[in-house]
Amino acid sequence: MLFGREAEMDLLTRFVAGECGADGVLVLTGEPGVGKTALLHAAIEVAGWHGVRVLRAGALEFEADTQFGALNQLLQPAIDCVDALAEPHREAMRVVMGSAAGPVPGQLLAGAATLALLRTCAGDAALLLVVDDVQWLDLSSAMALIYALRRLSDTNIRLLTAVRTDSGDAFTRSGFRVHDVRPLDDRTAEELLRSAFPALPTGVRGRLRADARGNPLALLELPVALEIEGGRARLPEMLPLTRRLQQVFADRLRYLPAGTRRMLLFAVLAGAEDAVVLGARLATPDGRDELAPAERAGIVRTDPRTGRLEFRHPLLRSAVVELSTGAERRNAHRLLADIFADAPSRRAWHLGQAAAGPDEELAGLLESVSRRMLHAGDSVRATATMLRAAELSPAESDRVRRTARAAYLGSLLTGEVSDTARLLRTAPESATGGRSLAVALAAAYQLLNTEGDIATASRMLLAALRNDADSGGGDPEIVSEALHSLLYIGFYSGRDDMWPEIRAALDRVLPEPSDTLALLAGPFVDPVHTGAKVLTELDAALDDLRFTSDPVRIVRVATAAAYLDRIGRVREPLQRVIDDGHDGGAVARALEALLLLGNDDFFSGAWDHLIEVTDEGLRLCDELDYPVTAGSGKLLRGLVAAARGDDATVERLGEQLLMWAAPRNLLTLAHYSSHIRCLYALGNSAFTDAFRHAATVNPPGVFLPHRPHALWLVLDLTEAAVRSGRAEAAREHADAAKAAGLEDLSPRLAMITSAAQALAHPAESRIAFERALAVPGTERWVFDRARIELLYGEQLRRDRATAAARDHLSTAATIFAELGAVPWLRRAQSELRAAGEPGAPGATALTPREQAVAELAAAGRTNKQIGEELFLSARTVSTHLQHVFHKLGITRRGALRDSLATRSGGPGPNIE
């Protein structure tokens, strides 16, 4: 199966079948390994399907100087036709094909003989000639074939060749049709890797895609050379090459002078082929002369605009390193360290690579470099640099601390949480007895994320923090990370009894916490009791994410905004984190970024996109062994399933969350399960069940500390209480929401709080509902707003204001239909019928106006565009669409075209 080659296969099929007009020659060009040979094999297979005879040859480098060597190979199967040729041509071909002795024919005679033989061999049938690796084709064979093919335009004989890009071959220069076979795009490369190596982790796939740069051979060969340990691939800075890749890439370097190879190694190790560094090296004696052979061989080129040295393919960089010795690499790093004397971080990195033994001063420098790399967003190198610092540490305690720090960074950033235990096992037992905060942090992170063992993780961290404080305090960055982990432990626990110790640790160990610690400790874990000052700080931190590349900071600040409806402001930074994860960077942060986008998607009604991002997020959680984080993805998928009436998915996800949470005492995951079931019950008018589930998360009339999820159930609990005959509980909860100042936290919460007031206080309901719908910017929260339109319409119908009721109910029904929220659509339709909707129930014929609206909507027009075309308001268009959905028995706008086609008995309306 050829991935991503649909265009090439279409071209080859038409070429083999003779459907490409007068083009009798097709030259496939492309870089080595791009798949040209595979396409030739596919074309031969297509020829077999069409009954086309095939003659093929593959040029060989060591035969490039053999006269007529490739022509001999190509025409050998047609040797039986030689006797039918005229004498001059017969004798010439016998010499060319080695069946007779004699002088080698001249180029003109050889070409004419080849022409005659091909005509005789083909007869009236089709004949396909296939020649691979034309860059090594001997010139005499090439000229004979070109002579013949220029005179075969009136026949059914065709030639298909493959050649490396820029090889300067005779066929490309002769003006024949050329098709450039491009590398695979990222999506197709991912599909190929998944198909061939389904067990490869996401981060590894991202790194392979980046280095292979769409080259299919590299994508298929690079994983073979990786070191696999414990089911995970270990990625060195330069990927190793298999023998096949060495033939493609490394062999091109072997013929370069030794000085040129040293020059290329220097450029590779400099990183990003820096123009300044290159200039410094070229300024040395013979520097320019050393580079010239590589430029002439097409291995590198210097960009005239930037001065940067660019390799033709990233794997040439791996080949340069692979062909070097350890001594050569250390020497290059020492030279680079001297050049970077004024850049302490880069100097330290190169000194670290050049070091041959323990060196505490250098280890300390590398530890600092690792931290800077982390904040710059270079996740992979930050972890690798910390490991190198550990290797160079003379003292056992420092080696253990840095190893543990590397293990934690690997878990936090690249998702290598399973490596934590392996790395910690390399540390001496005397240093891992609980006194090292770095060790405790790494171990606790693994326990929290893979096992959900919050009890052990919290005890380990609290004890280590106390020891650290008693000994005079340790590394502030490790202390801060330990406190971040404690906050997540407290959040997932959902238990009040854990928070006094966590708060005490925050106050005792870090009197002035970092901004992310303060934001997570406030807006995230306890948003109801957060002051306005912290909200201002949160907004400022969100704005600042535009200017940072640190994936940890981006995800933490966005997480702090999760319960306050602000994730929509930072979708672009979150997408950057996801893109970095796709490229093999901070994969663990990417999975959280995906779920945060899904969070925003649920409230904004982008449910199809939610399914897409949570699919990827949940797959990553499973792949990286992050079951606790997966709870957020299951919540979001469960909420969409509940709103759409997918009872099987609701039951499955709700049960999964509950069964995983119960033995581990993870109340937050149990609350997720209750939320899913509450929403499902509300949509199906099972209000007593809905109240029971909502009250499990947070009792009515109070907002408990450290129960942030209660903010997502304010309207749910109030509605369930009212509809189940618990009017007092509804009033208590609506009033508590207002007293807690939820209206000040976000526009969505202001809308929800007013709607809860309207439900709980019927005498003031119209004013409160109007106030809820008038909150600026709440059109973005489409599902919540549709629910409020439904509730308001129900109240208006009971107040006998039927015309106004139909207006709100129609708006709600249209939104529910577009979301696919079937149970809610049924509720709205039922209310519309009770409100005397014209033509309902049972009238299925579309009015002329409804037909016009339906056809324009099926063509992809928005409500506003339809209104402008038909001179209607957008709200009237929504009402007409609701009627159309009801009459056609559909719930989605995307189903209009097929439904209209079915009713008309034809292929569908004639719409653009």
Side-chain angles (χ1 to χ4, degrees):
M1 181 178 180
L2 296 179
F3 286 79
R5 297 305 184 203
E6 293 80 9
E8 281 80 8
M9 287 306 303
D10 178 67
L11 172 62
L12 291 176
T13 300
R14 289 186 291 107
F15 179 76
V16 169
E19 297 173 3
C20 287
D23 288 328
V25 179
L26 177 60
V27 182
L28 300 181
T29 65
E31 66 185 26
V34 80
K36 302 182 298 297
T37 299
L39 287 169
L40 294 185
H41 288 312
I44 292 170
E45 189 172 349
V46 170
W49 299 342
H50 287 81
V52 175
R53 185 182 181 186
V54 177
L55 301 179
R56 55 179 156 176
L60 298 172
E61 187 175 8
F62 64 83
E63 290 186 351
D65 296 326
T66 303
Q67 271 193 312
F68 298 114
L71 189 64
N72 181 321
Q73 181 191 161
L74 179 70
L75 298 180
Q76 273 297 327
I79 195 169
D80 293 342
C81 298
V82 172
D83 291 340
L85 302 182
E87 183 178 354
H89 296 158
R90 182 173 62 247
E91 295 306 316
M93 289 311 301
R94 283 176 174 172
V95 172
V96 166
M97 300 179 77
S99 61
V104 176
Q107 201 66 60
L108 187 63
L109 178 59
T114 301
L115 173 63
L117 179 60
L118 291 174
R119 286 184 182 276
T120 302
C121 179
D124 295 329
L127 178 65
L128 177 66
L129 311 177
V130 178
V131 181
D132 199 3
D133 288 321
V134 166
Q135 68 274 3
W136 292 320
L137 192 68
D138 61 278
L139 184 60
S140 54
S141 294
M143 296 309 297
L145 283 171
I146 291 172
Y147 175 93
L149 289 161
R150 288 201 178 280
R151 292 156 178 80
L152 288 171
S153 58
D154 59 338
T155 69
N156 203 12
I157 300 173
R158 289 173 290 282
L159 170 68
L160 177 63
T161 72
V163 62
R164 290 182 178 179
T165 303
D166 299 334
S167 66
D169 67 288
F171 288 91
T172 303
R173 295 200 310 269
S174 295
F176 294 121
R177 181 176 181 179
V178 174
H179 178 81
D180 189 23
V181 182
R182 306 295 300 164
L184 304 178
D185 59 32
D186 273 355
R187 181 187 60 79
T188 309
E190 175 76 4
E191 290 176 1
L192 176 57
L193 280 174
R194 282 183 180 280
S195 175
F197 305 96
L200 275 182
T202 295
V204 174
R205 286 199 306 273
R207 171 70 185 282
L208 294 177
R209 285 200 318 272
D211 276 30
R213 207 167 66 184
N215 186 293
L217 178 64
L219 289 165
L220 292 171
E221 289 288 319
L222 284 173
V224 177
L226 293 180
E227 175 189 350
I228 306 295
E229 183 174 324
R232 295 188 63 80
R234 311 292 304 163
L235 288 181
E237 185 176 1
M238 292 293 171
L239 295 178
L241 304 181
T242 62
R243 183 177 297 276
R244 288 184 69 191
L245 289 178
Q246 286 178 357
Q247 290 174 348
V248 172
F249 294 102
D251 284 355
R252 302 179 65 186
L253 303 167
R254 297 185 194 278
Y255 302 105
L256 297 175
T260 301
R261 290 203 304 272
R262 285 194 298 271
M263 177 66 184
L264 293 177
L265 177 65
F266 178 87
V268 169
L269 298 182
E273 289 70 67
D274 188 282
V276 175
V277 178
L278 181 62
R281 182 73 176 93
L282 292 177
T284 62
D286 301 324
R288 172 54 63 183
D289 291 340
E290 288 176 348
L291 186 62
E295 291 179 319
R296 286 195 295 270
I299 292 169
V300 295
R301 76 180 188 94
T302 303
D303 188 315
R305 185 175 57 85
T306 64
R308 290 167 59 91
L309 188 66
E310 297 178 349
F311 281 82
R312 186 181 189 90
H313 193 281
L315 289 181
L316 284 167
R317 303 171 77 250
S318 292
V320 167
V321 174
E322 197 158 294
L323 289 177
S324 66
T325 66
E328 288 173 333
R329 292 192 292 273
R330 287 192 294 274
N331 184 58
H333 279 299
R334 279 191 288 270
L335 289 172
L336 286 163
D338 292 339
I339 290 174
F340 286 120
D342 296 330
S345 294
R346 299 190 71 174
R347 177 176 179 272
W349 165 259
H350 290 293
L351 285 174
Q353 300 306 306
D359 185 328
E360 176 54 33
E361 181 181 358
L362 188 51
L365 279 173
L366 288 176
E367 186 172 5
S368 299
V369 169
S370 172
R371 288 170 174 164
R372 285 193 284 272
M373 288 176 171
L374 171 63
H375 298 309
D378 193 348
S379 308
V380 175
R381 293 189 73 195
T383 305
T385 303
M386 187 61 72
L387 268 177
R388 183 60 175 157
E391 292 169 358
L392 295 176
S393 302
E396 182 180 280
S397 59
D398 290 325
R399 187 165 62 255
V400 170
R401 176 177 58 80
R402 288 165 179 153
T403 299
R405 178 68 171 154
Y408 173 70
L409 289 177
S411 300
L412 181 71
L413 298 167
T414 58
E416 297 173 352
V417 68
S418 59
D419 278 357
T420 299
R422 179 185 63 81
L423 286 172
L424 293 182
R425 280 197 301 272
T426 67
E429 291 185 11
S430 61
T432 59
R435 296 190 60 82
S436 168
L437 180 58
V439 171
L441 172 61
Y445 190 89
Q446 183 193 32
L447 284 171
L448 168 64
N449 286 282
T450 63
E451 304 294 335
D453 188 351
I454 57 173
T456 305
S458 62
R459 283 198 303 270
M460 189 180 294
L461 283 176
L462 289 167
L465 282 167
R466 281 192 294 270
N467 289 335
D468 209 55
D470 292 343
S471 62
D475 186 331
E477 192 162 343
I478 295 179
V479 171
S480 177
E481 290 301 310
L483 292 172
H484 276 94
S485 289
L486 274 177
L487 286 176
Y488 283 110
I489 288 170
F491 169 77
Y492 282 114
S493 77
R495 291 162 42 193
D496 294 335
D497 61 321
M498 297 196 72
W499 279 103
E501 280 195 282
I502 294 174
R503 291 290 181 186
L506 280 166
D507 296 339
R508 179 183 68 251
V509 180
L510 219 60
E512 294 187 9
S514 66
D515 63 338
T516 54
L517 264 177
L519 294 174
L520 290 169
F524 179 54
V525 301
D526 198 8
V528 176
H529 304 96
T530 294
K533 178 177 181 295
V534 178
L535 291 180
T536 303
E537 293 171 354
L538 172 61
D539 289 333
L542 291 168
D543 290 340
D544 287 344
L545 294 187
R546 293 173 296 169
F547 310 110
T548 182
S549 300
D550 183 349
V552 177
R553 177 175 177 79
I554 290 171
V555 168
R556 284 175 175 169
V557 173
T559 299
Y563 284 110
L564 298 174
D565 308 311
R566 287 162 163 80
I567 294 176
R569 295 172 53 176
V570 291
R571 292 185 69 96
E572 186 275 330
L574 287 172
Q575 188 59 54
R576 279 192 275 118
V577 174
I578 294 167
D579 293 341
D580 177 57
H582 287 164
D583 292 337
V587 183
R589 297 309 93 201
L591 75 85
E592 290 195 71
L594 285 161
L595 299 181
L596 285 166
L597 288 186
N599 178 320
D600 184 59
D601 288 340
F602 177 72
F603 290 104
S604 62
W607 291 356
D608 291 337
H609 186 258
L610 179 152
I611 290 171
E612 179 183 329
V613 296
T614 53
D615 268 349
E616 183 178 358
L618 288 171
R619 177 179 53 76
L620 285 173
C621 287
D622 183 59
E623 190 176 280
L624 300 176
D625 195 18
Y626 276 73
V628 178
T629 305
S632 299
K634 291 178 179 179
L635 165 68
L636 296 168
R637 293 298 290 271
L639 291 177
V640 171
R644 288 179 166 172
D646 182 355
D647 55 345
T649 301
V650 166
E651 183 59 29
R652 176 174 58 84
L653 293 177
E655 193 67 13
Q656 283 180 6
L657 285 165
L658 196 57
M659 294 301 291
W660 210 84
R664 297 166 177 82
N665 222 356
L666 297 172
L667 294 186
T668 294
L669 296 190
H671 293 163
Y672 290 171
S673 175
S674 296
H675 187 179
I676 293 169
R677 287 171 163 150
C678 171
L679 186 62
Y680 180 78
L682 281 174
N684 290 279
S685 301
F687 298 114
T688 299
D689 288 344
F691 179 81
R692 175 169 53 83
H693 290 304
T696 299
V697 178
N698 194 81
V702 64
F703 286 91
L704 298 175
H706 311 116
R707 293 282 183 92
H709 208 70
L711 291 184
W712 284 11
L713 288 136
V714 173
L715 187 60
D716 305 64
L717 195 153
T718 306
E719 181 185 3
V722 169
R723 301 293 191 230
S724 64
R726 297 173 172 85
E728 184 60 30
R731 283 193 294 274
E732 289 176 358
H733 203 60
D735 292 345
K738 189 172 182 63
L742 300 194
E743 294 171 306
D744 299 327
L745 299 182
S746 79
R748 190 186 72 85
L749 287 171
M751 177 179 70
I752 292 296
T753 302
S754 293
Q757 286 283 309
L759 284 172
H761 300 282
E764 305 168 7
S765 64
R766 288 202 186 188
I767 295 174
F769 274 128
E770 290 290 348
R771 185 168 63 246
L773 295 174
V775 175
T778 53
E779 293 82 2
R780 185 173 191 271
W781 316 113
V782 293
F783 183 55
D784 284 327
R785 191 173 176 92
R787 287 180 59 185
I788 294 170
E789 295 273 10
L790 171 61
L791 293 169
Y792 192 15
E794 290 173 343
Q795 183 65 48
L796 289 170
R797 185 186 65 76
R798 286 192 291 273
D799 292 344
R800 301 184 183 278
T802 54
R806 285 197 298 268
D807 193 22
H808 289 284
L809 293 170
S810 294
T811 299
T814 299
I815 295 173
F816 291 143
E818 291 182 346
L819 291 173
V822 176
W824 297 86
L825 175 60
R826 291 197 192 105
R827 278 185 57 178
Q829 289 174 332
S830 177
E831 287 290 327
L832 277 166
R833 288 192 292 270
E837 176 196 9
T844 58
L846 299 182
T847 67
R849 180 55 55 83
E850 288 168 352
Q851 182 74 26
V853 169
E855 291 188 0
L856 289 171
R861 306 288 205 280
T862 65
N863 287 4
K864 182 179 179 183
Q865 291 169 332
I866 295 170
E868 290 173 350
E869 191 159 337
L870 299 179
F871 303 101
L872 302 171
S873 69
R875 176 162 286 189
T876 301
V877 171
S878 293
T879 301
H880 283 307
L881 276 176
Q882 191 280 322
H883 295 162
V884 169
F885 289 151
H886 175 57
K887 291 179 178 182
L888 298 182
I890 60 175
T891 60
R892 293 183 182 224
R893 205 179 184 106
L896 273 170
R897 177 184 285 269
D898 290 341
S899 184
L900 290 172
T902 300
R903 289 169 66 87
S904 67
N910 184 20
I911 52 182
E912 295 177 5

